[in-house]
Each structure stands twice: as C-alpha cells, then as structure tokens.
Amino acid sequence: MKKISDSTISRLSTYYRTLSNLIDQGIETVSSDEIAEINNITSAQVRKDLSFFGSFGKRGLGYNTKALREEIAKILGLKKEWNIALVGVGNIGRALIDYEEFRKQGFIIKALFDKDRKKIGKEIKGLRINDIDDACYVTKEKNIEIAIIAVPAKNAQAVVDSLVACGIRAFLNFAPITIKVPSNVTVKNENMSIELEALSYYLTQSN
Amino acid sequence: MKKISDSTISRLSTYYRTLSNLIDQGIETVSSDEIAEINNITSAQVRKDLSFFGSFGKRGLGYNTKALREEIAKILGLKKEWNIALVGVGNIGRALIDYEEFRKQGFIIKALFDKDRKKIGKEIKGLRINDIDDACYVTKEKNIEIAIIAVPAKNAQAVVDSLVACGIRAFLNFAPITIKVPSNVTVKNENMSIELEALSYYLTQSN
DNA sequence: AATTGTGAACCTCTTCACAGCT
DNA sequence: AGCTGTGAAGAGGTTCACAATT
C-alpha cells in the first residue's frame, strides 16, 4: 500500500471525532466543506485525505455521517479494542489510567508496570502493578499490543528496548527524549514541554 | 521576521534538551552530525534549522554546547519564567500540576481554575482553585500569559473564549476538539487519542 | 445546483553538495 | 582535514480548479 502521511492519519482522527459529534447531534449528512470549517482546514484537504482510501461521498450531496465514521474507524483500526500496557505509575501514568477518552476509543489499559518495589504488587482500579522485569510474561498473557511509556527520560530507552524484545511494536512515549527502535516498530511522542516551548516562542516573537 | 515552520521550532526544543543532556555529561563541543544522530534526523536539517536564527558554530569544530543551548533558550523565549493558568482540575490537570518537566523549563503554574463548586476554594499544592468566572481578575493579578485547557471537550471553546477576552494569547489544549481563536492567539494541541489512533492505524496496516 | 474526486499547479520543507572557514 | 552555512535540487504535502455525478 502507498505511504500515507502522518498528517493525513491524524486528520482522519479529527474527522472521526467531528463525525461522532455530528452523529450525536442527529445530523445525517455532511459536506467536506462543513467538516473543513469545523476543523479550520480546507475542503480540498478533507476530500484528498479521504480519497487515499476510497470514495465515500455522493456528488452533489456530501457524506453520510454514520457511514463515513464507520469507514474511518475501519481505516484507523478502531473496530477492535486494543490492549494497552502502561509503564510508569507516576503522576502522568495515574492520570492516564483514569482517562475516559482512551477507553471510549477502545484503548483499554490492561497491564501496569513500574520498577519501584514500593508500588509493585499494589492495585490501581483493579489492575495490579507488575514488575517491569516480568514484562514479557505479562504482556504475552494479557495480549498487549501497545505500550504507553510514562517513566523518567533516563529510563525510557531501556524500558522500550525490553518491551521491543518482548514483541511490542507500538509505543506512545511521554518521556522527553528521542527513543530508538527498529524500523518495524512505531513510536509516537507526546511531549508536552515541546508544545509549551512553541507557545513561548510565539509569545516572544510577537512582543 | 520571516515565518519559521512549526517543525523547526519543535526541533529546536529537542536540540535544547539534547544539549542539556550533553552538558550534564560534561561534553563541551558537539557537531551537527552528533545532534542529528541522537534525534534520528539528518545533520543538514540541524544546520538549516539553526541557520534561520544565526551562525552559532565554528567550521571544522562544531558547536559549543553551553553557548548553543543559550542561543536556543533565547530563541524559544526560555530566558524568563512563564506564568501559567491551569483550567480544569481533573485527572489530567492534577497530573500537570505535579509535572516536574514544566517547572524545570520555567513554566510555572500560578493559577488554577475550575467551575465545579465543590472544588472552588480548595487548595492543591498551595494553589487555590478559583472560579473560572473570575478568570479576568485572577489572570491579571497573577500576570498569566499562557493557559492550559484541561476541561471536557464540550466546555473547552467557551473557556478559551472567555480567557481570550481577558487577554490571554497562548493556549495548550488537551481537549479533543479544534478550538477557534482570533489570528493573534496561538493554540497548541495535545491530543493523546490522536497519537494512539495513529499507532492503531500502523498496527492495522502491518497485519 | 450542489458537491465529490482528482490531476496539475503550487508551495513548503528536507536533503544534497560544496564553497568557505577554522 | 573537518565541519559549518547555504543556495539549489528534490521530495512531499496542500490547494486549485474543474470534470463527473447525483
């Protein structure tokens, strides 16, 4: 399959959310122009993004909201639940356990890991905190497919290395560091300081 | 000033972090090639990014780590502390209050807001939770420059609208929705579900 | 009449490659 | 000799504009 850009994929996610909202409002049909307007982009962009995957609209009419959301769900792989491991039960980690948005989209945290002896064995929301050294056993048992890395920067690479060795191929990394992985493994970064620093830059510019 | 791309700005943030790590290791000189290697990019990219702002290296030698970090700090506006308001004291919000990384970079949370009567008046880490309706008074008193939006999607636009009316011009938005703002206001999004959905897409593709 | 789907044009970002400096 | 700084080339992403369809 042809290579689709990261931007297209992340815009599909926003279309998915837009469609969900429209469906909640009882709206059955929507044009690329309306989807674009809601998301501050152009209608050509919306149509082009969708065109990589098929023809989902009707000329003159637009798109059926439910049908289009269904198509995007298929594209993004949201028709199944994904089993997630959360590594690092600190502030960020604990917030993510309670993050409704993940569960709503079918991302279910099924395993917790930490390396702090004081935490291991305890439970949060019915989930036992496991020793990261037991990662391979637990991830296999629980069928984990994606790991969220919420450990300090200095430990992040080692944690990912060992999970890659267990066969995990997708990571959401909250540590402020670039993680190295083999080419068949995907890492997405969630680096909150970077965005704040961009704001700092723009504010500094405009003064 | 010429328009610098978002990607360049966010890479500058990563160079800043890379340089901090090198300095901690006592390394005094670094080449664009080494910075690139650490961050999985090309050395031409590193040099081009820096070239938009000046000439900070010595041909044949590379860059002085401390001097370059200083330059990047100036560019990104990190030579001062930024006063931040956090709106929405839920799971995510509370995690951010304790997030050391922000404080370390000079982003100091100085005001908390919520609209839940049960929370207003209480304190977290010595910070009083204020009524979002008092936003203008409090943001002015505390000299707030950036707001972090950690409220449910359905309230996010209204919260931002009222803070824009108070004069806030920079937002870090955690709500999974596109916020509309005037052109002199900047919004950066931190949408964790989007990144997970991208992982879901890549895993789905490769199976 | 309205709106999609898409090749072509356009624009922006990245990489190349080398002159210039240390 | 080694590495930066940068114009030019190349790649990739976005927008235009219009034929096709309902």
Side-chain angles (χ1 to χ4, degrees):
Chain A
M1 171 174 284
K2 59 191 170 311
K3 163 77 176 137
I4 306 293
S5 79
D6 285 3
S7 340
T8 289
I9 300 305
S10 85
R11 280 191 301 266
L12 287 178
S13 289
T14 70
Y15 306 156
Y16 181 82
R17 239 162 239 100
T18 300
L19 290 163
S20 298
N21 290 337
L22 293 172
I23 290 166
D24 287 350
Q25 292 166 47
I27 295 169
E28 299 197 339
T29 302
V30 68
S31 68
S32 59
D33 217 35
E34 291 164 325
I35 296 175
E37 219 282 314
I38 292 168
N39 294 295
N40 285 341
I41 56 178
T42 66
S43 63
Q45 182 75 81
V46 173
R47 295 197 301 276
K48 180 68 88 179
D49 285 337
L50 295 172
S51 77
F52 296 129
F53 300 96
S55 299
F56 308 123
K58 284 208 174 56
R59 294 173 193 229
L61 298 175
Y63 303 87
N64 176 281
T65 49
K66 282 187 184 161
L68 183 57
R69 183 175 70 162
E70 187 73 5
E71 292 293 347
I72 295 178
K74 271 187 225 159
I75 294 165
L76 294 178
L78 304 181
K79 300 294 291 175
K80 57 165 291 201
E81 290 195 339
W82 291 94
N83 296 330
I84 313 276
L86 172 68
V87 188
V89 187
N91 296 321
I92 300 289
R94 273 192 300 269
L96 296 176
I97 296 170
D98 289 327
Y99 191 48
E100 274 309 309
E101 200 66 17
F102 284 168
R103 178 169 294 273
K104 221 189 291 174
Q105 311 291 331
F107 298 104
I108 316 292
I109 296 178
K110 284 269 177 70
L112 305 180
F113 293 103
D114 208 294
K115 64 166 205 172
D116 182 347
R117 296 250 157 272
K118 287 186 286 269
K119 291 178 183 168
I120 293 167
K122 294 207 170 135
E123 283 201 359
I124 300 184
K125 301 267 165 175
L127 285 172
R128 182 179 188 278
I129 301 178
N130 296 290
D131 190 333
I132 182 66
D133 291 343
D134 301 334
C136 282
Y137 175 74
V138 178
T139 53
K140 263 161 200 138
E141 190 192 42
K142 303 231 174 168
N143 237 312
I144 300 297
E145 298 155 297
I146 300 173
I148 298 178
I149 306 300
V151 304
K154 64 176 188 302
N155 304 327
Q157 181 69 58
V159 162
V160 170
D161 287 346
S162 53
L163 288 167
V164 167
C166 304
I168 304 293
R169 298 207 333 277
F171 294 88
L172 182 59
N173 172 42
F174 282 82
I177 194 171
T178 306
I179 305 274
K180 311 252 179 183
V181 292
S183 63
N184 62 336
V185 174
T186 308
V187 179
K188 288 280 159 186
N189 294 295
E190 207 66 65
N191 194 325
M192 300 177 286
S193 297
I194 284 186
E195 304 296 341
L196 272 185
E197 286 164 12
L199 292 173
S200 165
Y201 168 77
Y202 293 119
L203 288 175
T204 303
Q205 287 314 294
S206 59
N207 285 336
Chain B
M1 168 173 284
K2 59 193 169 311
K3 163 75 176 139
I4 307 292
S5 79
D6 285 2
S7 340
T8 289
I9 299 304
S10 85
R11 279 190 302 266
L12 287 178
S13 290
T14 71
Y15 305 157
Y16 181 81
R17 238 161 238 101
T18 300
L19 290 162
S20 298
N21 291 336
L22 293 172
I23 291 166
D24 287 351
Q25 293 166 47
I27 295 168
E28 298 196 340
T29 301
V30 69
S31 68
S32 59
D33 218 33
E34 292 164 325
I35 296 176
E37 220 282 314
I38 292 168
N39 294 295
N40 284 342
I41 56 177
T42 67
S43 63
Q45 182 75 81
V46 174
R47 296 198 300 279
K48 180 67 87 180
D49 285 338
L50 295 172
S51 77
F52 296 128
F53 300 96
S55 298
F56 308 123
K58 284 208 173 57
R59 292 171 196 232
L61 298 176
Y63 304 86
N64 176 281
T65 50
K66 282 188 184 161
L68 184 56
R69 184 175 68 161
E70 188 72 5
E71 292 293 347
I72 295 178
K74 270 188 225 157
I75 295 165
L76 294 178
L78 305 180
K79 301 293 292 174
K80 58 164 292 201
E81 290 195 338
W82 292 94
N83 297 329
I84 312 276
L86 172 68
V87 188
V89 188
N91 296 321
I92 301 289
R94 272 192 302 266
L96 296 176
I97 295 171
D98 290 328
Y99 191 48
E100 274 310 309
E101 199 67 17
F102 285 169
R103 178 169 294 271
K104 219 188 293 175
Q105 310 292 331
F107 297 103
I108 317 291
I109 295 178
K110 284 268 177 70
L112 305 180
F113 292 102
D114 208 294
K115 63 166 205 171
D116 182 346
R117 295 251 156 271
K118 285 184 288 260
K119 293 177 182 168
I120 293 167
K122 295 210 169 129
E123 283 201 359
I124 300 186
K125 304 266 165 175
L127 285 172
R128 182 178 188 279
I129 302 176
N130 296 291
D131 189 332
I132 183 67
D133 292 343
D134 301 333
C136 282
Y137 175 75
V138 178
T139 53
K140 261 159 201 141
E141 191 192 41
K142 304 231 172 169
N143 237 312
I144 300 297
E145 298 156 297
I146 299 174
I148 298 178
I149 306 301
V151 304
K154 64 177 188 302
N155 304 327
Q157 181 68 57
V159 162
V160 170
D161 287 347
S162 53
L163 288 167
V164 166
C166 305
I168 304 293
R169 298 206 335 275
F171 294 88
L172 181 60
N173 172 41
F174 282 82
I177 193 171
T178 306
I179 305 274
K180 312 251 177 181
V181 292
S183 64
N184 62 335
V185 174
T186 308
V187 179
K188 289 280 162 187
N189 294 295
E190 206 66 67
N191 194 326
M192 304 177 285
S193 298
I194 284 186
E195 305 296 343
L196 273 185
E197 285 163 14
L199 291 174
S200 164
Y201 169 77
Y202 292 119
L203 288 175
T204 304
Q205 287 313 295
S206 59
N207 286 337

